[in-house]
C-alpha cells in the first residue's frame, strides 16, 4: 500500500517560528516518524511539501495510479482552495486532512475547511503526533493494519 503525504505553504518552516501554536518539531522530524510508522504498518510513504497552490494541485494529480491513500495538510490553502478540493475529488484518492493546530479553536477564517467535505477524516489539534494518528487511521480504513 502506498500513502502520499502532502504538506502545504510554510510547513517547511516548522520548528523555527510560532512554537506555541505549531510546536518545535520540524517537518523532517514528522516525515522521519511517518517512515517509522509506515514500516511498522507495512506500507510505503512518499512525502512532499510545496508552497504554491498549483504545485500542490500538480502533486495531487501525480497520485493517479501511484497512491492508495494520502495525508494532506494544505496549510492556509485549506481555508480557501476550491481548486485543491477539485483536484482531490478528481483523483479520488482517499485522504485524511491533517492539522497541527485545532483549526476550530482559532480565528473564524480558519474554522472553515474547503477540503473537509472531500476527506475521509480530519485530524487536528494533536500537533505533530496527529500525522501518526492519521496514518494509522487511514491505513486501517483502507484495510491495512492499524495498531495502537
Ligand atoms: O495547524 C495547521 O496544521 C495549519 O494547517 C497550519 C497552517 C495554517 O495556515 C492553518 O490554518 C492550520 C500554517 C502553516 C504555517 O507553518 C508555519 C511554520 C513555522 C512558523 C510559522 C508557520
Amino acid at each position: 500500500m502506498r500513502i502520499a503525504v502532502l504538506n502545504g505553504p510554510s510547513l517547511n518552516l516548522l520548528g523555527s517560528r510560532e512554537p506555541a501554536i505549531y510546536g518545535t518539531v520540524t517537518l523532517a522530524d514528522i516525515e522521519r516518524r511517518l517512515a517509522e510508522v509506515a514500516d511498522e504498518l507495512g506500507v510505503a510513504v512518499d512525502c512532499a511539501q510545496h508552497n504554491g497552490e498549483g504545485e500542490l494541485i500538480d502533486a495531487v494529480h501525480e497520485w493517479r495510479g501511484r497512491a492508495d491513500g494520502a495525508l494532506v495538510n494544505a496549510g492556509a490553502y485549506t481555508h480557501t482552495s476550491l481548486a485543491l478540493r477539485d483536484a482531490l475529488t478528481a483523483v479520488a484518492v482517499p485522504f485524511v486532512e491533517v492539522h497541527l493546530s485545532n483549526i476550530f479553536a482559532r480565528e473564524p477564517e480558519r474554522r472553515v475547511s474547503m477540503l473537509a467535505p472531500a476527506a475521509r477524516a480530519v485530524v487536528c489539534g494533536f500537533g505533530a503526533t496527529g500525522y501518526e494518528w492519521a496514518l494509522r487511521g487511514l491505513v486501517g480504513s483502507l484495510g491495512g493494519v492499524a495498531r495502537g
Side-chain angles (χ1 to χ4, degrees), residues 9-18 21-22 73-79 98-103 106 110 131:
S10 298
L11 286 158
N12 54 313
L13 301 179
L14 269 184
S16 64
R17 297 226 171 81
E18 301 194 64
I21 300 176
Y22 299 119
N73 183 349
Y77 289 129
T78 302
H79 316 297
V98 182
H99 298 286
L100 296 147
S101 62
N102 177 359
I103 58 171
R106 299 187 63 190
R110 291 187 205 275
Y131 285 84

Side-chain angles (χ1 to χ4, degrees), residues 30-41:
I30 290 171
E31 292 179 350
R32 258 192 300 275
R33 179 63 190 146
L34 285 175
E36 287 174 5
V37 175
D39 271 357
E40 181 198 320
L41 298 176

Side-chain angles (χ1 to χ4, degrees), residues 79-142:
H79 316 297
T80 61
S81 184
L82 275 178
L84 187 53
R85 182 168 87 202
D86 286 347
L88 289 160
T89 303
V91 302
V93 171
F95 74 96
V96 177
E97 177 179 335
V98 182
H99 298 286
L100 296 147
S101 62
N102 177 359
I103 58 171
F104 302 104
R106 299 187 63 190
E107 309 96 303
E109 59 271 27
R110 291 187 205 275
R111 292 179 201 157
V112 176
S113 169
M114 293 297 146
L115 310 185
R120 178 160 290 199
V122 179
V123 175
C124 73
F126 287 123
T129 321
Y131 285 84
E132 176 177 340
W133 306 138
L135 179 60
R136 290 182 186 280
L138 177 63
V139 171
S141 80
L142 292 172

